[in-house]
Amino acid sequence: MDIRQNFTSSYEDLLKNKIIVLPTFAVSIMWTIAFVFFLLFLGIIDDLNDFSAFTDQYYGEKGISQPSTINDEALARYSEASDSAWANIKTFVNTRNIIMLVIVIFILALISYYISCLTFVLVAMIVKKSKLNWSEALKLTNKIFWRYNFFYLIAILIFLLYIVVMLLILILSVYIMKVKILFGIILIIVSILLALAVLFYFLVRLTFAVPILFLENKTAYNSLKDAFISTKNRFKETAIVFGIYVGISIAFGFVGNVFFESMFDLAVFRDIARLAVIIPITILFYILSSFIHVFSFLFLFDSYIDFKKSGFIKQVKTKR
């Protein structure tokens, strides 16, 4: 396994096919617009502006608490904004609006999920050195989308089963602790460590499930099964790939925090000068986030191909 080569190959493929980050970037823009419209619908934009002004005055430019600078007028504005915001939110909270909100979130989540599937298809096309064809990619996405959904449904059910088992062990440990405190505490600590170890073990063993689903055109069940079987006796190599993939994902998560902060800033600030700075920075972070997100997929898929070519992956023939 050549991690450096996989990293380099993924980076070069991304530079040659930068257009594939467009779907992920579009999702970020879509959620931002939806978030801003949601706040406008609530009618609390002006109240959030007052919150922001109060916070700036309270903490100062360097983020240091300065209570002495807060005057009665600022406190009054804050209190008024708080009352107004809660009044608007309470007005919004009714059965019809909540149902509408749930429906909108569901539709947006479904679109995001579809685009995620499309991104995996595009990554698979690049890794297999196929010609990047958007029309063909959409056809493949439509074909594999529900299989992709079933894949994650199985994964979620497995995770829920894991949670139930670990909760039962924890409850048993707490019950034992009532009888023997020291033994119970030790058992709880051991149970938590065991739960984390088991979770890590299964996540590593299933690292290549998604690449198998898209590259080998396997069913959801067979993708999970083959990923688990193919990494048998190859835990160390797979763990390295898993660790790097998680590290890249953490970087994506960091940029994601900026994403949510940017959505709030775009919704709240109406000052042209501040918006002139916030909007370009927000777009830049969205682009960076999209590149990191897609790069992590490319690295994972390239690593699977490398494992397969190097003989680290034992191909398992399963009945379709």
Side-chain angles (χ1 to χ4, degrees):
M1 180 181 64
D2 192 339
I3 294 294
R4 180 178 295 181
Q5 178 59 38
N6 294 336
F7 215 85
T8 302
S9 177
S10 300
Y11 177 73
E12 291 175 350
D13 284 340
L14 184 56
L15 289 183
K16 293 177 183 177
N17 303 276
K18 293 185 282 291
I19 191 68
I20 67 171
V21 306
L22 186 59
T24 305
F25 177 75
V27 169
S28 300
I29 297 297
M30 178 186 70
W31 279 100
T32 301
I33 293 174
F35 180 76
V36 172
F37 272 101
F38 174 68
L39 292 182
L40 288 171
F41 181 74
L42 283 179
I44 60 174
I45 296 293
D46 291 333
D47 303 321
L48 291 175
N49 267 305
D50 288 336
F51 286 152
S52 178
F54 177 83
T55 303
D56 288 345
Q57 187 176 2
Y58 188 84
Y59 289 102
E61 294 181 357
K62 296 182 179 180
I64 301 174
S65 181
Q66 299 173 345
S68 60
T69 64
I70 304 301
N71 53 42
D72 293 337
E73 181 181 352
L75 287 171
R77 283 184 60 197
Y78 177 82
S79 178
E80 183 180 351
S82 178
D83 293 340
S84 176
W86 278 114
N88 286 329
I89 291 173
K90 288 178 181 178
T91 302
F92 170 81
V93 179
N94 57 63
T95 303
R96 184 179 68 87
N97 288 340
I98 291 176
I99 292 174
M100 286 178 58
L101 177 61
V102 171
I103 292 173
V104 169
I105 291 177
F106 175 78
I107 292 173
L108 292 176
L110 191 62
I111 293 172
S112 301
Y113 203 63
Y114 180 86
I115 290 177
S116 174
C117 184
L118 172 62
T119 302
F120 278 128
V121 169
L122 291 170
V123 167
M125 292 176 73
I126 291 173
V127 170
K128 290 192 293 186
K129 308 303 178 184
S130 301
K131 183 179 179 181
L132 198 62
N133 186 309
W134 286 88
S135 177
E136 183 65 22
L138 288 171
K139 289 179 181 178
L140 289 173
T141 303
N142 293 333
K143 181 179 178 181
I144 203 173
F145 181 64
W146 296 110
R147 193 194 314 170
Y148 180 59
N149 287 325
F150 189 57
F151 170 87
Y152 273 104
L153 178 61
I154 295 175
I156 290 171
L157 290 176
I158 294 173
F159 181 72
L160 289 176
L161 178 62
Y162 160 82
I163 293 295
V164 169
V165 172
M166 291 305 164
L167 281 176
L168 289 175
I169 295 175
L170 187 60
I171 291 171
L172 179 62
S173 302
V174 172
Y175 177 78
I176 293 174
M177 189 174 66
K178 292 180 179 180
V179 180
K180 293 184 178 181
I181 297 178
L182 181 60
F183 181 72
I185 293 174
I186 294 174
L187 190 58
I188 289 175
I189 294 173
V190 172
S191 298
I192 293 173
L193 293 176
L194 178 63
L196 293 174
V198 170
L199 179 63
F200 176 73
Y201 175 79
F202 278 96
L203 286 176
V204 170
R205 290 295 300 273
L206 296 174
T207 296
F208 295 118
V210 173
I212 290 174
L213 180 72
F214 286 90
L215 292 173
E216 306 292 350
N217 197 29
K218 295 291 184 71
T219 63
Y221 171 75
N222 286 334
S223 296
L224 291 165
K225 179 183 175 181
D226 287 5
F228 192 81
I229 295 175
S230 61
T231 52
K232 184 180 180 181
N233 300 324
R234 305 298 182 219
F235 187 83
K236 181 179 178 181
E237 293 88 350
T238 313
I240 293 173
V241 175
F242 175 77
I244 295 174
Y245 176 73
V246 170
I248 299 173
S249 299
I250 289 174
F252 172 72
F254 170 76
V255 178
N257 289 332
V258 180
F259 163 70
F260 286 110
E261 292 177 5
S262 299
M263 285 200 305
F264 179 80
D265 290 342
L266 285 172
V268 171
F269 296 122
R270 293 183 177 180
D271 181 78
I272 300 300
R274 299 185 75 169
L275 284 175
V277 175
I278 291 171
I279 291 177
I281 292 177
T282 301
I283 292 175
L284 179 63
F285 271 108
Y286 285 1
I287 294 173
L288 176 61
S289 173
S290 300
F291 270 92
I292 294 174
H293 194 51
V294 175
F295 175 75
S296 67
F297 295 157
L298 279 167
F299 173 76
L300 184 62
F301 279 52
D302 276 328
S303 295
Y304 170 74
I305 295 295
D306 186 20
F307 268 40
K308 184 178 176 180
K309 288 180 178 179
S310 302
F312 285 114
I313 296 283
K314 178 182 178 182
Q315 294 304 303
V316 181
K317 294 183 179 180
T318 56
K319 294 183 179 180
R320 300 296 301 275

